[in-house]
């Protein structure tokens, strides 16, 4: 900018603040994406070379070995960022950022690195079927999400309780100066300082937001390390136990409800519908994760079926014991556990719908009915996907994990693509009934009749039942064959 005499006037405070923001964003991208790539690549390389199995035989605890990788593999990035740290601190102070603000920000950076590096370790241990693509897929996903949220935060996108989850897990949202220099200039956006969780003003002060975010990082890191300790020694174990899945689902739903329940949401039916779709989308992702986390491998299921076959022949198991194994047992099929997890999702979704879609809202009762119908159909389609996954994982193919993942991708993407190609829009009464059978049935609930909804629910129940019956028959046949192969040689000796 120029002054009255034509001289250039530089706002050094703003200049230093912009430099601090650029350094922070670049450092975060380099640290999180680059570090994640190195960690996943190191695990993938050791898995292919067979040295990881040798390390598993070490008497050292799994935590010690994994901590060594977490601290040692990205050490070059640590050194590079330590060299730029003095310039970053000086730019922040020269940009009139308080020392307390900088301490809070760097605390969030450390917490985010611990969380995402732990997540990278887990990704490297549970996705060995990706082979050499592990590092590219994992770090590419991190880069895509992180860069997307960074552009949203610097582009005047609306920041409120509905869209903040799970954006709060990404540290680019907390870069000091980013909100005041960009976000407050966008009309209609809600400041980060307005952030609430169950009406608690956690965003009112910087230290409150920092403490809450660090708690989220801590809880997330704790659960990730439960998976790491479980999978490092026993590679065929499921990612989570059934008990852990129930607890984790309840915690996630509670955290999500805290962000979704906010004052002023009922003043606009559009905001309510956006929040509802956002919540359904997150729960859809959670349901897919539960399928990957709870489904046992084929060998584990065959062993469990053989055990069940022997006990049934000895009259030692009843219905109560069978239900107990399906609900709590680690080696039993996971479909009932997924049903119970989805029931927790349904309860949380129903509570939010009951609290939000009030009579004071415009067309509150109508929107509430549509929300309930969309929730039921979404959970129903997740049950169908779960039945497909467990049937694919029981296949004799050595690439059954890829087969299951491909089946879900096809089931989710192909129907919408076909409907779009046929020009059957979800907001038209001719195309809406077909969209009820896709992974996104909520887009068509408003334009369908109740009879069509009932037909869709019955179809989902029928498909789930048939798939589970086929799975039960195949599992019983495998268990019977394994039992005969085990018992026949001893019978011949006698």
């Amino acid at each position: 900018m120029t002054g009255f005499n034509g001289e250039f006037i530089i706002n050094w405070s703003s200049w230093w603040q912009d430099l601090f923001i650029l350094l922070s964003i670049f450092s975060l991208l380099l640290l999180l994406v680059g570090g994640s790539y190195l960690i996943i690549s190191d695990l993938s390389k050791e898995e292919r070379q067979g040295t990881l199995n040798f390390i598993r035989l070490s008497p050292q605890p799994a935590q010690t070995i994994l901590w060594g990788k977490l601290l040692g593999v990205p050490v070059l990035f640590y050194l590079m960022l330590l060299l730029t740290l003095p310039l970053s601190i000086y730019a922040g102070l020269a940009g009139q950022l308080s020392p307390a603000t900088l301490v809070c920000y760097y605390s969030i950076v450390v917490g985010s690195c611990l969380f995402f590096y732990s997540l990278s370790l887990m990704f490297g241990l549970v996705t060995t079927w990706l082979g050499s693509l592990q590092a590219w897929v994992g770090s590419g996903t991190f880069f895509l999400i992180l860069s997307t949220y960074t552009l949203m935060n610097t582009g005047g996108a609306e920041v409120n309780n509905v869209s903040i989850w799970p954006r709060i897990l990404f540290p680019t949202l907390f870069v000091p100066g980013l909100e005041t220099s960009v976000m407050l200039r966008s009309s209609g956006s809600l400041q980060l300082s307005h952030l609430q969780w169950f009406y608690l003003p956690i965003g009112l002060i910087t230290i409150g937001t920092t403490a809450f975010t660090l708690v989220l990082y801590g809880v997330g890191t704790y659960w990730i390390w439960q998976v790491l300790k479980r999978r490092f020694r026993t590679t065929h174990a499921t990612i989570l136990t059934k008990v852990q899945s129930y607890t984790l689902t309840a915690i996630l739903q509670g955290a999500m409800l805290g962000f979704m329940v906010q004052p002023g949401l009922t003043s606009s039916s559009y905001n309510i519908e956006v929040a509802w779709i956002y919540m359904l989308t997150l729960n859809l992702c959670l349901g897919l994760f539960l399928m990957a986390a709870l489904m046992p491998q084929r060998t584990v299921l065959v062993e469990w079926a053989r055990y069940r076959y022997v006990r049934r022949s000895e009259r030692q198991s009843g219905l109560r014991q069978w239900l107990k194994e399906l609900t709590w047992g680690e080696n039993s099929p996971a479909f009932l556990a997924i049903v119970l997890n989805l029931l927790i999702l349904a309860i949380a979704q129903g509570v939010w719908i009951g609290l939000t879609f009030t009579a004071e809202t415009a067309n509150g009762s109508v929107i509430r009915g549509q929300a309930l119908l969309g929730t039921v159909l979404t959970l129903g389609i997740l049950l169908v996907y779960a039945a497909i996954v467990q049937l694919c994982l029981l296949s004799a193919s050595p690439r059954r994990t890829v087969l299951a993942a491909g089946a879900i991708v096809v089931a989710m993407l192909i129907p919408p693509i076909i409907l779009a190609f046929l020009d059957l829009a979800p907001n038209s009464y001719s195309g809406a009934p077909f969209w009820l059978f896709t992974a996104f049935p909520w887009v068509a609930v408003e334009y369908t009749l109740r009879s069509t909804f009932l037909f869709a629910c019955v179809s989902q129940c029928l498909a789930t039942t048939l798939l589970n019956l086929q799975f039960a028959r195949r599992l019983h046949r495998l268990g019977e064959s394994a039992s005969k192969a085990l018992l026949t040689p001893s019978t011949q000796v006698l």
Side-chain angles (χ1 to χ4, degrees):
M1 56 181 298
T2 57
F4 293 103
N5 298 326
E7 300 176 350
F8 285 100
I9 300 176
I10 300 177
N11 187 343
W12 287 105
S13 175
S14 177
W15 189 88
W16 281 110
Q17 188 177 101
D18 290 340
L19 177 61
F20 172 81
I21 292 173
L22 290 176
L23 283 174
S24 298
I25 294 177
F26 176 77
S27 300
L28 286 173
L29 289 174
L30 182 66
L31 192 63
L32 297 182
V33 178
S36 299
Y37 174 84
L38 290 180
I39 290 175
I40 300 173
S41 177
D42 180 76
L43 283 176
S44 177
K45 181 180 178 181
E46 292 200 8
E47 183 71 34
R48 292 196 306 270
Q49 294 178 349
T51 55
L52 191 60
N53 290 328
F54 179 76
I55 295 176
R56 288 189 175 103
L57 299 176
S58 170
Q60 292 290 334
Q63 298 94 311
T64 303
I65 298 174
L66 294 175
W67 269 106
K69 290 190 172 296
L70 189 145
L71 296 176
V73 174
V75 66
L76 291 179
F77 288 112
Y78 296 154
L79 295 176
M80 291 173 57
L81 293 174
L82 282 176
L83 293 176
T84 61
L85 186 61
L87 176 61
S88 177
I89 294 176
Y90 179 81
L93 295 175
Q96 297 182 352
L97 297 175
S98 66
T101 301
L102 294 179
V103 169
C104 291
Y105 167 68
Y106 290 123
S107 300
I108 290 179
V109 172
V110 173
S112 66
C113 287
L114 180 59
F115 174 77
F116 282 102
Y117 286 176
S118 301
L119 190 62
S120 300
L121 286 173
M122 185 183 75
F123 186 86
L125 289 179
V126 303
T127 59
T128 54
W129 51 276
L130 286 174
S132 59
L133 295 177
Q134 271 185 292
W136 291 106
V137 173
S139 59
T141 302
F142 286 159
F143 175 76
L144 179 63
I145 298 176
L146 190 62
S147 58
T148 301
Y149 284 154
T150 301
L151 293 175
M152 292 173 63
N153 297 336
T154 58
E158 183 180 0
V159 178
N160 52 36
N161 284 10
V162 174
S163 62
I164 205 71
W165 174 261
R167 288 170 61 184
I168 197 172
L169 294 177
F170 292 87
T172 53
L173 184 66
F174 303 98
V175 175
L178 188 64
E179 183 177 325
T180 56
S181 62
V182 178
M183 295 177 65
L184 291 184
R185 297 175 188 173
S186 60
S187 59
S189 65
L190 188 64
Q191 303 177 27
L192 186 62
S193 59
H194 294 170
L195 182 64
Q196 294 188 3
W197 188 72
F198 283 118
Y199 300 106
L200 295 176
I202 59 176
L204 195 59
I205 55 176
T206 303
I207 191 172
T209 309
T210 303
F212 185 82
T213 306
L214 291 178
V215 168
L216 290 181
Y217 282 141
V219 173
T221 304
Y222 168 79
W223 279 99
I224 292 173
W225 277 88
Q226 297 304 306
V227 176
L228 292 176
K229 290 187 293 185
R230 177 176 172 81
R231 284 296 296 263
F232 184 74
R233 301 290 185 188
T234 310
T235 56
H236 64 271
T238 56
I239 297 176
L240 294 173
T241 66
K242 293 183 173 67
V243 178
Q244 289 176 339
S245 71
Y246 305 144
T247 307
L248 180 60
T249 302
I251 291 175
L252 289 176
Q253 292 306 301
M256 192 185 305
L257 276 176
F259 288 112
M260 293 299 189
V261 176
Q262 59 172 305
L265 185 62
T266 58
S267 60
S268 171
S269 60
Y270 174 75
N271 288 338
I272 294 177
E273 294 180 21
V274 170
W276 168 61
I277 293 175
Y278 198 82
M279 194 173 186
L280 274 181
T281 304
L282 292 177
N283 283 333
L284 179 65
C285 296
L286 177 59
L288 296 175
F289 168 75
L290 289 173
M291 296 176 201
L294 293 175
M295 295 290 185
Q297 297 293 328
R298 170 188 166 90
T299 54
V300 176
L301 286 175
V302 172
E303 181 66 20
W304 178 84
R306 184 192 63 78
Y307 167 77
R308 287 287 307 170
Y309 180 82
V310 173
R311 292 199 61 178
R312 186 169 58 252
S313 63
E314 297 174 354
R315 306 296 182 185
Q316 293 182 1
S317 63
L319 179 60
R320 180 177 300 180
Q321 180 65 26
W322 180 64
L323 292 176
K324 182 179 179 180
E325 291 178 7
L326 292 179
T327 306
W328 310 107
E330 293 190 23
N331 299 327
S332 60
F335 187 81
L336 182 58
I338 292 177
V339 171
L340 295 177
N341 277 285
L342 293 184
L343 182 61
I344 297 175
L345 297 184
I347 293 174
Q349 193 90 20
V351 169
W352 181 79
I353 291 173
L355 293 176
T356 306
F357 294 90
T358 60
E360 291 79 11
T361 310
N363 300 323
S365 59
V366 176
I367 300 177
R368 178 189 300 174
Q370 295 173 359
L372 290 174
L373 297 181
T375 302
V376 170
L377 287 176
T378 302
L379 298 180
I381 200 66
L382 282 174
L383 290 179
V384 176
Y385 292 161
I388 294 174
V389 168
Q390 71 175 2
L391 196 58
C392 291
L393 291 179
L394 201 60
S395 169
S397 171
R399 306 288 290 178
R400 48 186 168 269
T401 304
V402 179
L403 177 64
I408 294 302
V409 170
V410 169
M412 292 184 63
L413 298 183
I414 296 302
I417 293 176
I418 293 176
L419 292 176
F421 180 77
L422 297 177
D423 199 20
L424 294 174
N427 58 353
S428 64
Y429 290 97
S430 59
F434 298 99
W435 283 88
L436 296 182
F437 299 91
T438 67
F440 319 101
W442 61 78
V443 298
V445 170
E446 183 180 354
Y447 306 96
T448 55
L449 301 175
R450 297 298 172 88
S451 58
T452 308
F453 164 79
L454 291 176
F455 177 74
C457 288
V458 171
S459 300
Q460 289 179 348
C461 293
L462 183 61
T464 304
T465 303
L466 293 177
L467 289 171
N468 275 285
L469 288 176
Q470 177 66 14
F471 171 80
R473 281 196 296 266
R474 292 183 59 182
L475 186 60
H476 174 76
R477 187 164 56 249
L478 290 174
E480 184 179 7
S481 301
S483 300
K484 290 180 179 179
L486 181 66
L487 297 175
T488 299
S490 60
T491 303
Q492 292 176 349
V493 171
L494 293 176

